[in-house]
Amino acid sequence: VTKDLMDDVAAVDVNDIFPYTTNTEGIRDYTETSPGPGGYNDSVAANPNSANRVRGLLPHDITRDYFFSLGRDIGFDSYNLDQVTIVRGPNSILAGLGSPAGIVNYSPQTASLGRNNNLVSFRFGSWGDQRAVLNSNYIIKDDVLAVRVAGAWSHRGFQQKPAKHSDRRLYGTVAYRPWAKTTIRARYEP
């Protein structure tokens, strides 16, 4: 799933991407429940990032650049992503990673030594939905040093009051090329 598709469909998280991919069910198509004391527990309310399934089996495993991450509990946001890759079935376990359901891998952007660019976006929606994104890449020294800073602020409202969800995220990355064939990259996301 490319950045262009995510921008075209206003996708923010994994459940916004799943309706556009095959063999995946997000919280809009599927409600995971599990038995618990006093009845069934609604897994969507507990953790919407993992209350979905791939290939009709289980929730997917989440990786960041193909390393397991805390993304299942925290979730990813499209404000700083280049792409999301969905690997289903046997392909996801060939290298020893993933469950039979699959892997959802996301790749955060890196600082680009090639050109400066800036993005500022605002989105408004029903029930008080608001979102602001800033993503800026700045070359400090041509082909040697670049910095990228990204941030997102969102306030998601719902039809049922007083339900709401607010989120703030920051991301920074640096690329440094001391020699022609060596590039050192660092990223930080609190």
Side-chain angles (χ1 to χ4, degrees), residues 78-89:
S78 63
Y79 79 102
N80 68 338
L81 298 184
D82 272 334
Q83 68 178 358
V84 175
T85 304
I86 300 172
V87 183
R88 295 184 263 312

Side-chain angles (χ1 to χ4, degrees), residues 167-181:
D167 192 14
R168 285 183 293 189
R169 296 177 183 239
L170 294 172
Y171 175 74
T173 180
V174 176
Y176 175 57
R177 184 179 292 156
W179 305 284
K181 295 184 179 182

Side-chain angles (χ1 to χ4, degrees), residues 2-185:
T2 64
K3 181 71 172 170
D4 292 333
L5 177 65
M6 288 186 278
D7 290 343
D8 287 346
V9 299
V12 173
D13 62 16
V14 70
N15 288 300
D16 294 336
I17 295 168
F18 276 178
Y20 301 98
T21 59
T22 59
N23 246 346
T24 56
E25 295 172 292
I27 60 173
R28 292 167 188 83
D29 311 317
Y30 165 72
T31 302
E32 181 186 42
T33 57
S34 57
Y40 281 86
N41 297 324
D42 180 6
S43 299
V44 173
N47 187 354
N49 299 308
S50 65
N52 39 49
R53 62 184 178 181
V54 178
R55 297 180 64 221
L57 297 173
L58 304 165
H60 56 278
D61 289 329
I62 293 182
T63 59
R64 178 179 176 143
D65 289 329
Y66 292 103
F67 289 97
F68 281 107
S69 71
L70 298 174
R72 174 172 299 285
D73 297 327
I74 298 169
F76 60 81
D77 191 297
S78 63
Y79 79 102
N80 68 338
L81 298 184
D82 272 334
Q83 68 178 358
V84 175
T85 304
I86 300 172
V87 183
R88 295 184 263 312
N91 292 333
S92 69
I93 59 175
L94 285 178
L97 289 173
S99 71
I103 292 175
V104 173
N105 180 65
Y106 64 99
S107 301
Q109 294 171 329
T110 59
S112 172
L113 295 167
R115 67 183 183 120
N116 292 327
N117 60 16
N118 297 297
L119 167 80
V120 177
S121 69
F122 298 98
R123 184 175 83 186
F124 302 96
S126 302
W127 304 301
D129 189 22
Q130 302 171 24
R131 179 175 171 85
V133 173
L134 168 69
N135 193 326
S136 182
N137 187 79
Y138 182 72
I139 299 172
I140 296 171
K141 187 172 180 185
D142 285 343
D143 291 326
V144 176
L145 182 62
V147 175
R148 178 182 292 272
V149 177
W153 173 84
S154 66
H155 177 81
R156 191 174 284 184
F158 298 93
Q159 186 174 13
Q160 182 179 4
K161 298 295 179 192
K164 64 182 178 181
H165 177 72
S166 294
D167 192 14
R168 285 183 293 189
R169 296 177 183 239
L170 294 172
Y171 175 74
T173 180
V174 176
Y176 175 57
R177 184 179 292 156
W179 305 284
K181 295 184 179 182
T182 303
T183 303
I184 301 168
R185 299 185 188 276

